[in-house]
Amino acid sequence: MDNSKKFNKNALIMNLLKGRTFIVLVVLLIFFSFASSSFLSVNTALLIGKHVALYGILAIGMTYVIITGGIDLSVGAIVGFGGMVAGYMIQRGITIGDKTLYFSIPLVVIITIAIGAIIGIINGLIITKFQVAPFIATLGMMYVARGAANLISNGATFSDLKGYEGLGNTGWTFFGSRVFGIPVGLVILIVLAVIFSILLTKTSFGWHIFAIGGNEKAAKLSGVKVDKVKILAYLISGICSAVVGIIASSQLVASHPATGESWEMNAIAAAVLGGTSMSGGIGTIGGTIVGAFVIGVINDGMVMCGVSEFWQMIIKGLVIVVAVIIDQFQRKLQEKMARMA
């Protein structure tokens, strides 16, 4: 086979690899529609959308971090901590002296998101200023945030977070409700996906994110403020995690310190399935959202088919491993095609 035929064959394989996540999603939809008679329904679609909103928003922040060549294992814990902070403010307020202050819902949202941003900044500072590996830094923060979430209520749940009209703190359930039949969380996912996709592809900040992941030393030599960009990437991840904490506690109308446990795995899986390279330098928000839908369909499809939770864990683990293997194969194929061109 001459070089031109080999190149065309490799190009076809490359195109299939680039569209692999969408192909997998279509295959899963077809499979579960046959496996479960109730899968193809409006209610199932809305349920999947409700869950995808949580994984998708987390995965947006994770995508930024992974593109820089990092990882954020603290996102699930920030979800739980953010929800507990919000629940505390709604149910107990802040006591100063002999007075208790209760915050309006917009203020609760702002404070919760600010806390997520602060944790993200701390992650970024530990990684950049103290040269701690992202895996270790965010693993430590995961335990800190999860422990803090339990300390807020001594491990108890803040239930019935509807607020009180007399205190002016009602309306928390809005984030878990539906607008024109569509889950509010899904609407938030779409809005954030558009914003962060534009930020990643149309701004110098986004280009710097890719530059750092592609070659950090070269990016630094070209004038990119590497530390600042990395800190901002983890800040975005912290914000996304706090937003998910808000939506999750609103959907449950309660805050529990264990909320978000192992969700970082879903976020990583969604990003990697969507084409974000664990080696850094490659990724799209659109691909990540499709990856989040794949994870959502797998989770809910297996539940509807009565698959054991233990098997679900095994399957999701295998999905991540296979996605990384395919990513490595794609990189090698790209290098091979570049040499042939």
Side-chain angles (χ1 to χ4, degrees):
M1 187 181 293
D2 57 35
N3 284 340
S4 62
K5 288 183 178 180
K6 285 182 180 180
F7 186 86
N8 290 335
K9 181 183 177 182
N10 289 338
L12 176 61
I13 295 171
M14 182 62 68
N15 288 329
L16 289 173
L17 288 174
K18 287 180 179 178
R20 66 184 180 271
T21 313
F22 185 76
I23 294 170
V24 169
L25 179 59
V26 172
V27 170
L28 286 171
L29 289 172
I30 294 171
F31 172 78
F32 284 120
S33 65
F34 283 102
S36 174
S37 58
S38 60
F39 184 79
L40 284 182
S41 67
V42 174
N43 286 336
T44 299
L46 291 173
L47 178 65
I48 292 173
K50 180 180 175 181
H51 295 156
V52 166
L54 302 175
Y55 307 146
I57 295 171
L58 272 186
I60 288 172
M62 189 67 74
T63 299
Y64 270 76
V65 169
I66 293 177
I67 291 175
T68 65
I71 196 77
D72 190 350
L73 299 181
S74 67
V75 295
I78 296 173
V79 169
F81 182 56
M84 290 301 291
V85 168
Y88 186 93
M89 287 189 287
I90 293 170
Q91 198 167 86
R92 298 185 182 178
I94 303 297
T95 301
I96 302 175
D98 58 349
K99 292 184 178 180
T100 301
L101 300 177
Y102 289 90
F103 302 97
S104 65
I105 295 305
L107 194 54
V108 171
V109 169
I110 291 170
I111 293 171
T112 303
I113 291 175
I115 288 172
I118 290 168
I119 295 175
I121 290 172
I122 292 171
N123 277 335
L125 287 171
I126 293 172
I127 291 163
T128 58
K129 303 304 180 184
F130 296 97
Q131 299 297 304
V132 178
F135 181 91
I136 300 299
T138 58
L139 178 65
M141 186 57 71
M142 178 183 76
Y143 284 109
V144 171
R146 188 65 70 190
N150 280 281
L151 280 174
I152 289 175
S153 65
N154 200 27
T157 300
F158 291 124
S159 58
D160 197 25
L161 298 179
K162 295 178 181 178
Y164 305 92
E165 289 187 10
L167 299 174
N169 64 351
T170 57
W172 187 250
T173 54
F174 168 76
F175 302 103
S177 63
R178 296 179 182 180
V179 176
F180 302 113
I182 302 173
V184 171
L186 193 57
V187 175
I188 295 173
L189 168 64
I190 294 169
V191 171
L192 291 180
V194 170
I195 292 171
F196 285 114
S197 181
I198 292 172
L199 184 64
L200 189 61
T201 59
K202 304 295 183 182
T203 68
S204 58
F205 169 69
W207 303 332
H208 291 167
I209 290 279
F210 284 109
I212 291 170
N215 190 321
E216 185 173 325
K217 289 183 179 179
K220 188 174 290 187
L221 289 172
S222 64
V224 175
K225 296 179 180 178
V226 173
D227 288 358
K228 181 180 178 181
V229 173
K230 281 188 175 183
I231 291 169
L232 288 174
Y234 283 93
L235 178 147
I236 289 170
S237 183
I239 289 174
C240 288
S241 303
V243 170
V244 172
I246 291 167
I247 297 170
S249 65
S250 178
Q251 289 177 350
L252 297 169
V253 198
S255 296
H256 190 277
T259 301
E261 277 189 356
S262 79
W263 285 12
E264 57 276 359
M265 293 298 104
N266 288 327
I268 294 169
V272 174
L273 277 170
T276 303
S277 174
M278 291 297 291
S279 302
I282 298 173
T284 64
I285 299 301
T288 291
I289 300 305
V290 177
F293 271 95
V294 170
I295 296 299
V297 169
I298 289 175
N299 284 346
D300 291 338
M302 287 193 294
V303 169
M304 296 181 77
C305 291
V307 177
S308 164
E309 182 181 352
F310 307 125
W311 275 110
Q312 291 180 39
M313 293 171 67
I314 291 171
I315 291 169
K316 280 194 286 187
L318 289 173
V319 164
I320 294 174
V321 172
V322 171
V324 173
I325 291 172
I326 292 174
D327 170 62
Q328 294 299 318
F329 174 74
Q330 183 177 342
R331 274 182 170 263
K332 290 179 181 178
L333 187 60
Q334 283 177 323
E335 292 172 1
K336 184 179 179 181
M337 289 179 66
R339 290 194 298 267
M340 292 173 66

